[in-house]
Amino acid sequence: MFRRAAVKLECVTPNMGLQKIFLNEYGRLRSGFRFLIFAFAFIFITLAVTTGIRVAYALLHNVVPRVPYAEFFQSLIGKVPDLSAALIAGYLCNRLLEGLPWRALGLTLHKQWVRDFLVGSAIGIASLALAALIAIVGGGLRFGLNTAHSPGRIAGALVGSAFLFTFAALAEEAAFRGYPLQTFTRAQLALLGVLLTSVPFALGHLWNPNVVPGVTFANTVLAGIWLAVAYLRTRSLWFPLGVHWAWNWALGSFFGLPVSGLHLVGATFLKAEDVGPAWLTGGSYGLEGGAAATVAVVLSIVITWKLPFVSATPEMMKLTSEEKRVGSG
C-alpha cells in the first residue's frame, strides 16, 4: 500500500509543481503571464488596425475630398490603433483570463467619474503652472501674450487641442494604467505594476526630438509613477486621464512650450521665450526635460496621494483589488 502511494505521489508532484508555476491559489493564470499575453495581444491588434487604416487610406485618399482641418483628424487617427488595441486587449484579458466585466477597466460612466476627471484636470494644469513658475523664478522662462494670431484663432486652437490632447492621453492611459497596472494590482503587486508600466512609458518618449539624456527618462518615469498613483487613488482611468491631458494642454496650448520635444499647437495663448539654463527649463525639449518639472512632478505625486477628497467607489475597489476565484460566478 505504501509503495503504491509513493508511486502515485511521484506522478502527481511534478504536475502540481508545474501547475503552481502558471496558476495562483485562485486557479487563475499568474499576473506576469497575464501581462505578457496582454502585451502580445496589444502589439498584434495595433498592427492589424494600423494595416487596416493604411489600406483604407490607399483606397480612399483619391476618392474622398479633402476635409477641413485634415491635419487635426490625421493626428486623431494616428492614435486610433493604440487606443483600440489597449481597450480590446484589456477587455479580452479581463474577460477570458480573470472573469471580469468591461467596467473593471475603469472607463465606464461610473459614480464619481466626472469628479475624478475634473479634479485630475485641475491638478494637471496646476502642476504644469507650478513647473512654469519655478522656471520663471529661476530666470529661465519669460512669457507674453501671443499677438501673432487673432483671438478667434487662438480660442479655436485652445478648444481643438484640448480634444486632441484628451484623445492622445486616453490612448496612453488605457495602454499603461489600464489592464497592465490593474492586473498586477489585483495580484497584490501594485508596486511591480507601477514599475513595469512607468519604465516602458518613459522609454516610449526617448525617440522624440531634442531629448535630454538621462533627465527626460527620469522625469517621464516620475510622470508614469504620478499617473499610476492617480489611478490607484480612484481605481478609475478618469482621474489619470484628467491629469495627463491637462498637463499636456497647459504645456503646449496655454504656455506655448514644446510637449515632449514637439511643437503641436501653432496658435498658443502665450508666447514663451526660453533663456536657459537648459538644466532648469529642458531647453528645446521643453519643461519636461528640466529640473523645474522634476520638482513639480515630485510634489504632485505627494499631493495626489494625500488628497482627502478623492477615493475609489466600493465597486471599483472590489474589481481592482482582489482576484476572482475560478468558478465563483
Side-chain angles (χ1 to χ4, degrees):
M1 182 177 69
F2 292 108
R3 186 176 178 184
R4 278 162 96 200
V7 172
K8 185 178 180 181
L9 183 62
E10 287 176 2
C11 294
V12 172
T13 301
N15 292 333
M16 291 177 62
L18 187 62
Q19 187 180 43
K20 286 184 178 181
I21 292 174
F22 292 99
L23 302 180
N24 59 25
E25 63 270 33
Y26 301 98
R28 298 285 178 189
L29 194 66
R30 292 191 179 277
S31 55
F33 295 112
R34 299 194 302 247
F35 173 77
L36 291 175
I37 290 173
F38 170 85
F40 284 115
F42 177 86
I43 293 170
F44 176 80
I45 296 170
T46 299
L47 293 175
V49 175
T50 301
T51 301
I53 291 174
R54 289 178 176 175
V55 169
Y57 177 80
L59 295 174
L60 300 175
H61 81 282
N62 289 326
V63 178
V64 178
R66 185 174 176 83
V67 297
Y69 308 107
E71 292 182 358
F72 174 80
F73 288 107
Q74 185 177 359
S75 298
L76 285 181
I77 292 172
K79 293 296 181 181
V80 167
D82 289 345
L83 178 59
S84 301
L87 295 180
I88 294 172
Y91 169 72
L92 291 176
C93 288
N94 261 345
R95 197 64 167 169
L96 301 178
L97 301 180
E98 301 191 60
L100 296 171
W102 160 257
R103 64 182 180 276
L105 283 175
L107 266 181
T108 57
L109 305 184
H110 57 77
K111 185 179 180 182
Q112 301 176 352
W113 77 271
V114 174
R115 182 206 65 179
D116 291 342
F117 182 73
L118 293 178
V119 172
S121 300
I123 291 174
I125 292 173
S127 299
L128 193 281
L130 174 61
L133 179 62
I134 293 171
I136 293 170
V137 172
L141 288 178
R142 299 171 186 166
F143 293 97
L145 288 176
N146 187 352
T147 58
H149 301 281
S150 67
R153 185 175 178 186
I154 291 173
L158 289 174
V159 174
S161 63
F163 187 80
L164 178 60
F165 282 126
T166 301
F167 194 80
L170 177 59
E172 292 189 352
E173 291 312 302
F176 293 101
R177 264 64 63 179
Y179 186 79
L181 176 58
Q182 294 166 15
T183 195
F184 282 116
T185 302
R186 277 189 288 272
Q188 310 303 313
L189 296 169
L191 290 178
L192 178 61
V194 171
L195 176 65
L196 291 180
T197 54
S198 298
V199 171
F201 177 68
L203 290 173
H205 289 75
L206 294 183
W207 283 267
N208 288 16
N210 307 308
V211 164
V212 182
V215 181
T216 295
F217 178 76
N219 277 359
T220 314
V221 169
L222 286 173
I225 294 171
W226 180 24
L227 294 166
V229 166
Y231 169 77
L232 292 172
R233 282 302 314 276
T234 60
R235 306 305 171 96
S236 167
L237 287 178
W238 292 106
F239 191 31
L241 173 61
V243 171
H244 194 156
W245 89 266
W247 169 281
N248 287 345
W249 178 84
L251 181 61
S253 302
F254 188 86
F255 286 98
L257 292 165
V259 179
S260 301
L262 302 170
H263 288 277
L264 299 174
V265 184
T268 60
F269 183 74
L270 296 179
K271 185 176 181 180
E273 181 184 3
D274 189 335
V275 293
W279 64 263
L280 177 66
T281 66
S284 299
Y285 187 79
L287 271 176
E288 293 168 313
T294 308
V295 175
V297 171
V298 169
L299 288 174
S300 297
I301 290 172
V302 176
I303 291 170
T304 301
W305 185 251
K306 295 290 186 180
L307 275 179
F309 49 85
V310 294
S311 60
T313 64
E315 180 192 28
M316 293 310 300
M317 182 61 75
K318 182 176 180 61
L319 286 171
T320 59
S321 62
E322 60 185 40
E323 299 264 8
K324 183 179 179 182
R325 187 176 295 277
V326 171
S328 62

